[in-house]
Amino acid sequence: MQVNLSAKFPLPEQAQVQAAQKRTAGLGKIDPNSYAEPELVTTLHSVLNWKIDFEKKYLKGSVMHHFKALQKNLPAIAELVGEKANIPLKHRISDPAGDMGAKLTLELPEDTNTADLYVSIEYETSNNASALQWLSPEQTLGKKHPYMFSQCWAIHARSILPCQDTPAVKFTYRATVEHPEELTALMSATVLKRENSRTTFVQDVPIPSYLLAIAIGKLVSKPLGRQSNVWAEEDIIDECAEEFSDTLDILKVATDISGHFVWKHCDLLVMPPSFPFDGMENPCLIFVTPTLLAGDKSLSNVQTQLADRPELTKLVVDLSNCTPDEAYSSVPYIKGSIFLRYMEDLLGGSEIFERFLRQYWQRNAYNSVSSEDFKQALCEFFSKTNRRQKLSLINWDLWLNGAGMPPTIPRLDQSLASVSKRLALFWATKTVVELNNSPQLKEQISVHQLIDMLGKIVESPEVKGLNDQKIELLETTYNLKETKNIEIRFHLMRLYIMAKSKGRLDEIFNFLNSNFRLKYIRPIYRDLVNWPAAKPKAVENFKRVKGQMMAICSHAIEKDLGFK
């Protein structure tokens, strides 16, 4: 029997050369981005034993996987765990596929027929594992202790343990982590025991590998309610507790819609600035970016430009020739939500549509489903209602496989958005003199309208006369100079670049280096590349701070700067 896992550990020298040259065209039948074969074997439970080494920047330890064979007589890991003795297994690393990693094959004895297999693997990670970020004390707020955190989404779990790294496989886990005694360890699981320098966790709900998460640092917590705490470094814990004080209210709304809350608790961990995403929905421990600390809760309820990659604007993307990291954008969120809203309106409104969603979620809990599965479930449910004739109006192929804008935009209340649209045109097209003489200059708008307005100015093809004087008036009018809202600051940085404001370059680079959230820094680096006078300084700045970024972030910026 043969078990294939995905791994991204140091390869033999020859394999490393092949990895640089080989490009995947689909690694598996079910998942083109994984060598795992979930149609043949699946992981039920994993037991992790890790020792954290901050000096060498790696994890060392073992994992024991409980596999279940789904077919008999599979073609004839590394150690097979038996009742009386452990049996050493042959293994090999092969088929390197660049950023995808390589195949780890574990060969079982030919007379192995049991459906339940327990395989123990001792290993250590590379010190540049793509899922792990190691921070020196100087890179933290407290400046006294190191910090480490993971980001396994989308295909980076394979860099911290050999596993079936595919959403099609879901497993429970237990983990024992050895770490410096003065630091606190957290995982996407429930704490069983804390004892000095060792913490034990358990996750009883099956999860895909990308939701495996760990963070270790000088962390403290404050309660947000009976089921929730917020964790952060001590210097910002009070600010975090205030910013996310509405967490349980948000959780109640979510569970009212979706049904039973299966996790025992919902903690938040406010990450260091090098965290590259808005947030990560790890079970029991949601990672959130510190850029959400706006001071007014305006960002606590939480775009890639794809003009040259129209195939990535489809809802169903072919990942055979690119990685999930390359394909990631806001398209599935925005276009997908519009599609759901379209169907909700078409099929009878929120009450019946939410009833369908609850049934769909309950039926498919702990399974992986495709768009076709969703289509079949929806048609089955609504074919039994008085809205069944409306099903024929849904152009599934156009919605799921069409590139570009959605075929239909539902009618939404545009009253608030129309104000920001009108003011954006006002600021984009008027001179400073015209702006100063207009009563619109005193019009009051909300922070969300302000963010929308600034974004529309940045994207407006009608912008003219944008200079330091106009930007200064904009900042004064809306009191923007001292704002902590990162969405506002992000749009201001792009306006500075549009105005070719050389005097603002230091401010732009300070913003770039204050956080490494892809949503903000990629567009700014792209803007700087198109400003010849600033591009060399952008390259110089990136090289200086690259070591502080996670691999997923630095690789993306290297592409934007033309390094790859």
Side-chain angles (χ1 to χ4, degrees), residues 252-265:
K252 183 180 184 307
V253 172
T255 53
D256 285 346
I257 295 174
S258 60
H260 178 60
F261 183 67
V262 299
W263 317 106
K264 292 182 175 67
H265 57 95

Side-chain angles (χ1 to χ4, degrees), residues 48 63 126 140 169 220 264 334 355 430 470 475 499 509 528 533:
L48 304 168
V63 58
S126 166
T140 67
V169 172
V220 295
K264 292 182 175 67
I334 298 175
R355 197 188 318 152
K430 302 297 182 183
K470 181 182 280 193
E475 292 175 319
F509 289 124
L528 290 170

Side-chain angles (χ1 to χ4, degrees), residues 178-191:
E178 292 185 40
H179 52 83
E181 185 175 354
E182 66 276 14
L183 303 184
T184 297
L186 302 172
M187 291 192 73
S188 54
T190 299
V191 175

Side-chain angles (χ1 to χ4, degrees), residues 93-113:
I93 297 175
S94 64
D95 302 301
D99 292 341
M100 300 283 194
K103 181 194 296 184
L104 171 60
T105 301
L106 312 171
E107 295 186 4
L108 303 181
E110 292 185 3
D111 58 352
T112 302
N113 281 322

